[in-house]
């Protein structure tokens, strides 16, 4: 029995997207920038996808800039704003950002930019009062992740964006984990920049988008032919963009029913694991991604037992999950997200994540609970024998 529970890492490309991509590869393979009929056919495909992706977040199509994925969208937002200033300014991010935001910001810091990293509470949430207190006269950008991929916490983005707007700072959010799972309306959110990724919503790998509110100025990262309104040069990957568009349209249509179904399954698994000794839930229980469960192992030691130990054991049983700790040169590093939330070094080595999706069933949930309990019982028994 094979059960995939790592949908926050990537989702399987849906058949409708694959069929569209195949049709494009056969029939609309021209360069979208070319002026002849072959180019026009490809350009129409790209613009149709732009309309579809815009519809997912209630944006005007012209505000959608296609990229290679969420990472490039985040980098274009961060660096695109920074490059508008001849001298370093001040930027604010959260302490629980995805590396696609935290790494470019770290580079800016090395180049002289001032950076404030907002702390979070034990559930991973930012207090809006902390943002108000952190804003300065030279704060030009605030970037806060919408839905945290490791612990599932959803931030109060509308409130945070309004605070930034009143101050006059631009606001960016990485909404890669939110799109297709919770409603997004960029008009009500008052965000200036928002990142999306195709392969998180059952589209193909290699496509993403940055929403850029009309009137917001960015300086592009790539020099070239000036595609995507001059913000992202390079011939568009028409087949991947087409698949992204189809996935976005279907995600919009299915959002309400799928969100309810996933929430029910998520809570079912939380309930079944509630009495497991040493398995401690992480993240915010209420303000949470509908498909997301996360825990840490109370008895993790980073050597005999860690989050990655559990990932390997479940994989042997045919169940795919992920861990929060990173492995560099054979040595485990604690999850920076769990550390930022106030968890101990030991706990931050024992983080795990289970994320559900379209193919997840109630039977999958029940079997996963049984297997996970058995694996944990065996690991703790082995630990007691060693002790």
């Amino acid at each position: 029995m094979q059960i995939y529970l790592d949908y926050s890492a990537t989702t399987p490309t849906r058949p409708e997207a694959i069929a569209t991509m195949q049709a494009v590869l056969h029939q609309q393979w021209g360069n979208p920038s070319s002026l002849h009929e072959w180019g026009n056919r490809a350009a129409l495909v790209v613009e149709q996808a732009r309309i579809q992706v815009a519809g997912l977040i209630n944006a005007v199509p012209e505000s959608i800039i296609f990229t290679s994925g969420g990472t490039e969208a985040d980098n274009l937002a961060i660096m695109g704003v920074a490059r508008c200033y001849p001298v370093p300014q001040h930027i604010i991010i959260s302490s629980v950002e995805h590396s696609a935001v935290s790494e470019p910001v770290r580079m800016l810091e090395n180049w002289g930019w001032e950076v404030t990293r907002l702390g979070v509470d034990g559930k991973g949430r930012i207090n809006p009062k902390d943002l108000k207190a952190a804003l300065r006269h030279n704060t030009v950008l605030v970037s806060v992740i919408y839905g945290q991929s490791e612990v599932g916490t959803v931030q109060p983005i509308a409130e945070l964006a309004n605070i930034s707007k009143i101050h006059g700072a631009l606001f960016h959010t990485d909404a890669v984990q939110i799109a297709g799972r919770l409603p997004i309306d960029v008009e009500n959110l008052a965000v200036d920049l928002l990142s999306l990724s195709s392969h998180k919503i059952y589209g193909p790998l290699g496509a993403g988008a940055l929403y850029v509110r009309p009137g917001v100025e960015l300086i592009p990262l790539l020099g070239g032919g000036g595609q995507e309104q001059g913000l992202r040069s390079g011939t568009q990957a028409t087949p991947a963009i087409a698949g992204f568009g189809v996935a976005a349209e279907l995600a919009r249509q299915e959002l309400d029913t799928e969100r309810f179904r996933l929430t029910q399954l998520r809570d079912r698994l939380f309930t079944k694991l509630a009495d497991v000794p040493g398995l401690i839930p992480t993240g915010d229980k209420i303000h949470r991604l509908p498909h997301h469960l996360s825990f840490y192992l109370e008895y993790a030691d980073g050597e005999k037992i860690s989050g990655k130990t559990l990932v390997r054991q479940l994989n042997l049983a045919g169940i795919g999950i992920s861990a929060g700790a990173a492995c560099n040169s054979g040595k485990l590093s604690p999850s920076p997200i769990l550390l930022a939330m106030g968890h101990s070094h030991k706990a931050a080595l024992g983080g795990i994540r289970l994320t559900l999706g379209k193919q997840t069933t109630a039977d999958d949930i029940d079997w996963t609970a049984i297997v996970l309990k058995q694996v944990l019982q065996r690991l703790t028994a082995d630990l007691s024998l060693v002790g």
Side-chain angles (χ1 to χ4, degrees), residues 256-291:
D256 289 338
T257 54
E258 187 66 0
R259 173 175 52 159
F260 177 78
R261 189 185 74 87
L262 290 174
T263 301
Q264 296 294 106
L265 291 175
R266 179 200 70 187
D267 292 347
R268 181 187 184 107
L269 187 51
F270 264 132
T271 299
K272 288 183 174 293
L273 298 176
D275 60 348
V276 178
L279 188 64
I280 313 299
T282 57
D284 195 301
K285 190 173 183 181
I286 298 172
H287 305 288
R288 188 175 195 90
L289 292 166
H291 72 302

Side-chain angles (χ1 to χ4, degrees), residues 37-70:
E37 179 61 26
W38 292 265
N40 289 338
R41 287 200 294 262
L44 286 173
V45 170
V46 172
E47 295 315 308
Q48 173 64 22
R50 202 182 309 279
I51 292 169
Q52 292 169 315
V53 173
L56 181 60
I57 62 172
N58 191 32
V60 295
E62 295 76 19
S63 65
I64 299 299
I65 305 300
F66 286 120
T67 67
S68 63

Side-chain angles (χ1 to χ4, degrees), residues 184-307:
I184 299 176
D185 185 336
V186 292
E187 294 305 315
N188 290 334
L189 281 179
V191 298
D192 299 293
L193 302 154
L194 182 144
S195 301
L196 300 168
S197 177
S198 166
H199 75 101
K200 307 295 189 182
I201 60 169
Y202 305 92
L205 294 156
L210 179 66
Y211 160 77
V212 182
R213 182 176 293 280
V216 171
E217 182 182 358
L218 300 176
I219 292 182
L221 305 183
L222 302 176
Q227 290 88 347
E228 296 300 301
Q229 302 176 51
L231 290 178
R232 205 283 183 176
S233 289
T235 301
Q236 292 97 331
T238 308
I241 289 172
F244 184 14
V246 169
E249 182 173 351
L250 293 173
R252 179 183 59 80
Q253 295 172 3
E254 299 166 356
L255 191 148
D256 289 338
T257 54
E258 187 66 0
R259 173 175 52 159
F260 177 78
R261 189 185 74 87
L262 290 174
T263 301
Q264 296 294 106
L265 291 175
R266 179 200 70 187
D267 292 347
R268 181 187 184 107
L269 187 51
F270 264 132
T271 299
K272 288 183 174 293
L273 298 176
D275 60 348
V276 178
L279 188 64
I280 313 299
T282 57
D284 195 301
K285 190 173 183 181
I286 298 172
H287 305 288
R288 188 175 195 90
L289 292 166
H291 72 302
H292 193 292
L293 301 94
S294 58
F295 307 87
Y296 73 85
L297 301 176
E298 195 173 35
Y299 40 80
D301 57 13
E303 295 178 4
K304 298 181 180 67
I305 296 182
S306 67

Side-chain angles (χ1 to χ4, degrees), residues 296-310 312 323-335 338 344-352 379 383:
Y296 73 85
L297 301 176
E298 195 173 35
Y299 40 80
D301 57 13
E303 295 178 4
K304 298 181 180 67
I305 296 182
S306 67
K308 289 193 177 293
T309 306
L310 198 50
R312 288 192 289 267
C327 187
N328 298 307
S329 302
K331 184 176 181 180
L332 275 180
S333 300
S335 160
L338 291 178
S344 68
H345 183 279
K346 178 180 172 183
L349 293 170
I352 60 168
L379 286 176
L383 187 65

